[in-house]
Amino acid sequence: MQRKQLAPGVFLTELDAEKFNRCRIAIHLRYPARRESATDAAVLSMVLERGYAGCPDMTKLSRRLAALYGADLGVDLSSAGGDRVLSADICGIKQQFALAGEDLVADYADIVFGVLFDPYLVDGSFDPEAVRIEKESLRRRLQSEYNDKRLYCVRQARRRFYGDNPAGIELYGYLNEIDAVTPRTLRTEYDRILSQASIEVMVQGADAEPVARRLLDRLDAIRRTPAQITRLTPVPAAPVRHYTEEIPGLTQGKLCMLFTRDGAEDLPSIHVLRMAMGIFGGTATSRLFRNVREKQSLCYYCGSSALRAAGVMMVDSGVESANIDKAEAAILKELSDLCARPVDGEEMEQCRRTLLAGIDAVGDSLSGLASWYYGQIMRGEPLVDPEQGKAQMLAVTPQQVQEILQSYSYSVCYALTGRGEEADA
């Protein structure tokens, strides 16, 4: 693997893909999230996937990809702490398999860079019809949140937990702001992103030099002042707040518990954090699965996860409404037990085997490998391959797991229930 800087805020990483018969080019634009333009950013990512100046509609774009032996193109929007990442990637057969000697790498690069740097515009703004269609798609997506009660409970808990913290900006924007999105507001947000984003290109299984040249050609006409990575202020510890929402006819209650990490500016090792979550509630051998779900039968599912940059741990569970209080107490007891005593060796090894198997699977796909390395780039870590990552996982100790779990303070509990309880703020 090799990573180099091409220009201020522009980097290219070349990854080996010898065992694959396909190659992949991905580009990630990381930029500061803004509350006032979150909905524009969400619509923008959807509009960009419809085509670009060279293929201005989905039909032409689909034909172009089909002509390149069925190449796959994707556009995605994701969170990275207080930042957003707008990504585009293309995956297709390697150059040497082209039947007529076509320059496939050049074609792939032209498409993926065209999507982000040369969008289809009408009178200097985005296509009004494309914007209208994607606004309605986003509206349906946000309206459907309530129908997925697990997702709804988690998001309601997050809203109470984060408040005005940048980590709480909704990735897909806000339903009541969709009508205000216009082709011109999208253009304004698009220009901001290109100006402020740090740009990371990852090339797998292809010659990186022509890709780099095409990237710099695209950027030559763009005025850029790349922004610094957003450093989140952790949510301060406070007395726990309980919220209960009654939903008539709800057959399975939902419980979401959020914890804030003391001293969240001192970010833990990702391997220690993954081990701690695996021991607590992230695997089939975890305490929450074995004790709360299996032994006590207090829930249908119960798992834990953590957002490292935001310093937050989450437990979400599906429970009978009558068992919500018991499930909450049982979850807190398991966390208290782990904080009181280091994990025993056998429990560590059971969890470690699961996590190591996950690392082994990283190399099964081009996207898996790219995600492995891009995660390290986003965390500001030196790049290590999966085998080195396994060695780091093997070095995690019970004491490190205990120390991380001890650093979390219970903050917010949000419950959905079919029983008639009033919200307790």
Side-chain angles (χ1 to χ4, degrees):
M1 91 205 69
Q2 181 181 5
R3 182 172 186 253
K4 59 184 178 181
Q5 184 168 2
L6 303 180
V10 182
F11 301 86
L12 184 144
T13 302
E14 187 173 7
L15 301 176
D16 175 61
E18 184 177 352
K19 74 175 186 178
F20 299 98
N21 59 16
R22 293 169 71 81
C23 63
R24 185 174 184 268
I25 302 172
I27 177 168
H28 305 281
L29 276 59
R30 180 174 182 171
Y31 62 94
R34 288 199 317 182
R35 168 63 182 83
E36 58 268 31
S37 60
T39 310
D40 285 287
V43 175
L44 175 65
S45 67
M46 300 165 73
V47 170
L48 291 175
E49 195 167 17
R50 298 178 64 87
Y52 61 103
C55 290
D57 60 60
M58 297 181 72
T59 299
K60 291 181 180 179
L61 180 58
S62 296
R63 288 174 178 168
R64 179 67 178 135
L65 294 171
L68 294 174
Y69 306 95
D72 297 315
L73 175 72
V75 178
D76 184 52
L77 182 68
S78 58
S79 294
D83 294 330
R84 292 288 180 265
V85 180
L86 177 62
S87 304
D89 69 271
I90 190 166
C91 185
I93 65 170
K94 285 183 175 177
Q95 181 75 45
Q96 60 264 38
F97 300 122
L99 297 178
E102 305 98 313
D103 190 349
L104 295 180
V105 174
D107 290 334
Y108 296 152
D110 287 342
I111 291 173
V112 76
F113 293 154
V115 166
L116 290 189
F117 300 125
D118 192 18
Y120 174 56
L121 301 175
V122 176
D123 297 329
S125 296
F126 285 90
D127 178 19
E129 180 62 12
V131 174
R132 182 191 67 79
I133 292 171
E134 297 307 335
K135 282 171 62 174
E136 291 309 307
S137 296
L138 181 62
R139 191 190 309 277
R140 289 191 297 270
R141 178 175 191 158
L142 294 179
Q143 287 173 336
S144 68
E145 173 192 305
Y146 184 76
N147 296 326
D148 184 338
K149 294 302 186 290
R150 181 177 186 178
L151 174 63
Y152 175 72
C153 183
V154 168
R155 289 186 175 172
Q156 288 289 80
R158 282 170 43 87
R159 289 160 186 152
R160 271 62 175 187
F161 178 80
Y162 284 118
D164 295 330
N165 191 294
I169 298 173
E170 298 286 353
L171 176 61
Y172 295 110
Y174 300 86
L175 184 61
N176 63 349
E177 297 177 4
I178 291 178
D179 288 339
V181 174
T182 68
R184 191 158 296 280
T185 63
L186 285 196
R187 180 60 194 269
T188 299
E189 179 67 359
Y190 173 75
D191 289 342
R192 178 183 81 89
I193 291 172
L194 290 194
S195 171
Q196 296 185 352
S198 61
I199 298 174
E200 189 77 37
V201 174
M202 310 194 83
V203 180
Q204 297 169 275
D207 184 358
E209 287 306 314
V211 176
R213 289 196 300 270
R214 279 174 162 75
L215 173 64
L216 293 176
D217 286 345
R218 296 279 187 174
L219 295 176
D220 188 55
I222 302 173
R223 298 181 63 180
R224 287 176 32 78
T225 307
Q228 295 294 318
I229 292 174
T230 302
R231 299 296 181 187
L232 291 174
T233 301
V235 175
V240 62
R241 292 166 289 155
H242 285 81
Y243 303 88
T244 303
E245 180 178 349
E246 179 191 357
I247 298 182
L250 185 69
T251 56
Q252 183 186 118
K254 305 296 179 185
L255 175 66
C256 183
M257 304 164 63
L258 294 175
F259 302 76
T260 191
R261 186 169 175 269
D262 302 327
E265 302 94 336
D266 181 20
L267 298 179
S269 157
I270 190 65
H271 298 290
V272 176
L273 186 61
R274 286 172 178 164
M275 181 70 79
M277 291 305 102
I279 292 287
F280 181 38
T283 67
T285 61
S286 69
R287 294 286 181 94
L288 296 184
F289 185 89
R290 289 187 293 111
N291 296 338
V292 179
R293 182 184 185 275
E294 295 295 296
K295 290 183 180 179
Q296 300 180 61
S297 299
L298 286 174
C299 57
Y300 299 98
Y301 61 85
C302 190
S304 67
S305 59
L307 294 177
R308 178 175 175 270
V312 58
M313 178 173 70
M314 180 182 75
V315 176
D316 78 305
S317 182
V319 301
E320 293 287 348
S321 294
N323 288 334
I324 285 177
D325 294 339
K326 292 179 181 178
E328 179 190 10
I331 290 166
L332 293 175
K333 181 181 184 304
E334 295 303 328
L335 179 60
S336 177
D337 288 347
L338 285 168
C339 291
R341 294 179 298 278
V343 185
D344 66 55
E346 178 57 29
E347 193 172 7
M348 283 285 291
E349 291 312 306
Q350 287 179 336
C351 178
R352 205 189 310 267
R353 283 194 292 269
T354 299
L355 297 177
L356 291 176
I359 296 177
D360 283 333
V362 162
D364 291 344
S365 68
L366 290 170
S367 59
L369 280 169
S371 296
W372 171 266
Y373 289 106
Y374 186 59
Q376 296 173 52
I377 291 170
M378 286 200 296
R379 295 190 295 272
E381 299 172 352
L383 297 186
V384 300
D385 62 33
E387 286 303 311
Q388 293 171 296
K390 289 171 66 176
Q392 292 173 348
M393 184 65 75
L394 288 168
V396 175
T397 67
Q399 289 72 27
Q400 289 174 311
V401 169
Q402 183 186 36
E403 288 170 3
I404 280 199
L405 292 174
Q406 287 173 337
S407 70
Y408 287 104
S409 301
Y410 193 19
S411 181
V412 166
C413 176
Y414 201 95
L416 300 183
T417 176
R419 66 191 184 191
E421 290 188 5
E422 298 297 326
D424 174 15

